[in-house]
Amino acid sequence: MNKIPLPTDVSIITTYRCQMRCKMCNIWQNPTDTKQEIQPKELEILPNLKFVNVTGGEPFQRKDIEDIVSVCFTKAPRVVISTSGYHHEKIIALAKKFPNIGIRISIEGLSQRNDNLRGREGGFDRGLRTLLKLREMDVKDIGFGITVSNHNSDDMLWLYRLAREMKLEFATAAFHNSYYFHKDDNVITNKDEVTNNFHILIENLLKENNPKSWFRAFFNMGLINYINNGRRMLPCEAGTANFFIEPYGDVYPCNGLEDKIWKESMGNIRDYTSFKELWYSDQADKVRAMVRQCPKNCWMVGTAAPVMKKYIKHPAKWVMKNKLKSMMGKSICVDNIPWFNVGQAPQQGDLNYSRMTPFTDIHGAKPDSNLPLVDE
């Protein structure tokens, strides 16, 4: 209890309802019951945080999205909504009421490719129109992100250029399998093409004058590592600095869990009178022990960013070395991606290890809770 602080970041999955029909996500086939979704009042149990991500499904399917955001701003100074951008009028209305809100719109490519991958005609146009209007309104914290698959890594580079021209934040992810997406076939098969495009992105990011972009280059190197099934560069500490709340109130360490490997809730906010009770419960400790042995090599910003900050000397050394190479006109090497030993369990983030030593503790016995929290 003394070693685990209260978390700083939360992602609130407000609903599994969604009007999009994305090819890499089947959430829309598994919508939540509106009568059972968590209510704004129930979110008042949350502790004070630094950052809240409001997501879905499509959060703007919630008629009470303004009430949800209002509660979130009492808990954290920064609140960002992840959205398809399809509900243009609702997004603009919310931004007028909360001018400090962050908006991240998911765009999977240029016009035709985006609409094909997201299963709705006009999705790209609506998303871009929304971003332009938000820029006109002088909303500061806005941008878009792409989930890279087998079909759109070349468009990623065009979208990066668009983001720079528009002075917008630009985020990347590689598609993956999880209970959250109801998918088990999200596997990048044209690895050479995709990793080459990520390599080009990394080179471009390091040429910028913004240190934030240099660390994004490090993050994108982690995506190359993930695509090539490499061992996760830095440990996963999901369920310590960050957590997810599902639409029915269950708290999970992340949204990358899979039933075939493991999936277990830390508890449900509806069963507790205070968040501390849940966070320091035996069940939450059990889940954190599972995370420390989890073989999945996920590399998503929600779990990568906290450990990049915690173990900052490792990404910082990489950034300094490769920024100098970039300034000298040398190519950045992404063939030998480093792994940083900070005391994590040998099986964590290593799918190859898990094939030799199956992760079976989750089917009955509690994982080794004597494993130390990763630290230097």
Side-chain angles (χ1 to χ4, degrees):
M1 185 169 177
N2 293 327
K3 289 185 178 180
I4 302 281
L6 284 169
T8 59
D9 299 7
V10 63
S11 290
I12 303 171
I13 308 169
T14 54
T15 181
Y16 286 146
R17 291 175 286 133
C18 187
Q19 75 288 328
M20 308 309 282
R21 300 292 182 261
C22 297
K23 292 185 177 179
M24 62 285 189
C25 173
N26 288 333
I27 278 182
W28 57 275
Q29 294 177 346
N30 299 270
T32 38
D33 181 347
T34 57
K35 295 179 181 178
Q36 297 182 41
E37 291 171 344
I38 47 176
Q39 299 302 301
K41 184 73 175 177
E42 293 175 300
L43 295 174
E44 293 177 5
I45 196 175
L46 294 178
N48 291 327
L49 300 152
K50 293 181 179 179
F51 173 70
V52 175
N53 174 226
V54 179
T55 185
E58 172 54 69
F60 284 93
Q61 291 274 6
R62 292 286 301 250
K63 294 180 179 179
D64 56 354
I65 187 64
E66 286 191 6
D67 295 330
I68 291 172
V69 169
S70 181
V71 172
C72 291
F73 268 120
T74 69
K75 300 298 179 179
R78 184 167 180 241
V79 179
V80 174
I81 299 186
S82 300
T83 173
S84 66
Y86 203 79
H87 299 275
H88 174 83
E89 292 79 10
K90 290 182 180 179
I91 296 170
I92 299 306
L94 187 76
K96 287 179 178 177
K97 186 168 184 178
F98 300 97
N100 292 330
I101 193 75
I103 303 289
R104 293 293 182 276
I105 293 179
S106 297
I107 297 178
E108 310 308 336
L110 299 179
S111 182
Q112 289 183 332
R113 187 165 291 174
N114 174 82
D115 293 357
N116 177 264
L117 289 174
R118 295 190 68 82
R120 284 282 186 183
E121 286 189 15
F124 179 86
D125 292 347
R126 290 192 185 209
L128 187 58
R129 187 186 309 123
T130 299
L131 287 168
L132 289 169
K133 181 62 178 179
L134 291 168
R135 169 62 71 221
E136 179 186 297
M137 294 165 58
D138 201 30
V139 179
K140 305 295 186 185
D141 193 358
I142 58 175
F144 58 90
I146 180 174
T147 298
V148 175
S149 64
N150 293 314
H151 311 291
N152 63 348
S153 66
D154 52 343
D155 274 18
M156 169 182 69
L157 299 175
W158 291 107
L159 291 175
Y160 163 72
R161 294 171 192 169
L162 178 63
R164 285 203 67 192
E165 291 294 327
M166 295 179 63
K167 298 181 180 179
L168 299 171
E169 297 291 321
F170 180 65
T172 52
F175 77 167
H176 57 281
N177 299 312
S178 77
Y179 78 91
Y180 181 78
F181 295 110
H182 301 275
K183 294 283 285 184
D184 59 9
D185 60 351
N186 280 342
V187 178
I188 290 176
T189 54
N190 55 336
K191 293 183 180 181
D192 289 344
E193 177 186 353
V194 173
T195 57
N196 181 61
N197 285 324
F198 270 115
H199 191 179
I200 294 170
L201 178 64
I202 289 169
E203 301 267 10
N204 285 326
L205 287 166
L206 285 168
K207 289 176 183 176
E208 293 189 32
N209 295 322
N210 184 358
K212 189 174 182 180
S213 296
W214 309 339
F215 283 91
R216 281 180 174 158
F218 178 90
F219 172 80
N220 279 282
M221 185 180 66
L223 290 177
I224 292 177
N225 182 56
Y226 165 73
I227 292 165
N228 289 322
N229 297 319
R231 187 178 183 183
R232 185 182 163 109
M233 293 191 299
L234 287 166
C236 178
E237 297 185 6
T240 54
N242 69 289
F243 66 100
F244 279 72
I245 299 180
E246 279 211 304
Y248 297 145
D250 272 315
V251 171
Y252 286 96
C254 70
N255 67 337
L257 304 178
E258 295 182 71
D259 289 316
K260 68 180 181 181
I261 299 178
W262 74 282
K263 178 193 172 194
E264 190 151 347
S265 168
M266 302 173 79
N268 192 297
I269 60 171
R270 289 169 167 166
D271 297 332
Y272 292 86
T273 56
S274 78
F275 187 80
K276 281 186 177 180
E277 289 180 65
L278 185 156
W279 196 245
Y280 296 119
S281 67
D282 290 341
Q283 178 61 22
D285 285 342
K286 177 184 177 183
V287 170
R288 278 188 282 266
M290 290 177 173
V291 170
R292 293 197 290 273
Q293 299 182 67
C294 180
K296 292 201 66 176
N297 66 333
C298 310
W299 189 255
M300 296 175 281
V301 68
T303 53
V307 292
M308 283 175 61
K309 293 174 184 176
K310 181 174 180 179
Y311 305 106
I312 185 64
K313 77 175 186 180
H314 298 298
K317 285 181 180 178
W318 183 92
V319 163
M320 288 188 288
K321 174 185 174 181
N322 287 284
K323 178 60 180 176
L324 285 173
K325 288 180 70 175
S326 176
M327 292 172 68
M328 292 186 289
K330 296 182 179 181
S331 180
I332 308 304
C333 178
V334 294
D335 293 329
N336 297 309
I337 295 177
W339 174 75
F340 304 104
N341 184 356
V342 295
Q344 61 265 56
Q347 65 266 48
Q348 199 210 46
D350 190 349
L351 290 168
N352 294 318
Y353 187 105
S354 72
R355 293 186 183 102
M356 296 182 292
T357 309
F359 185 45
T360 56
D361 284 337
I362 59 167
H363 299 297
K366 181 178 178 180
D368 183 5
S369 58
N370 293 319
L371 279 170
L373 287 175
V374 285
D375 207 341
E376 292 193 280

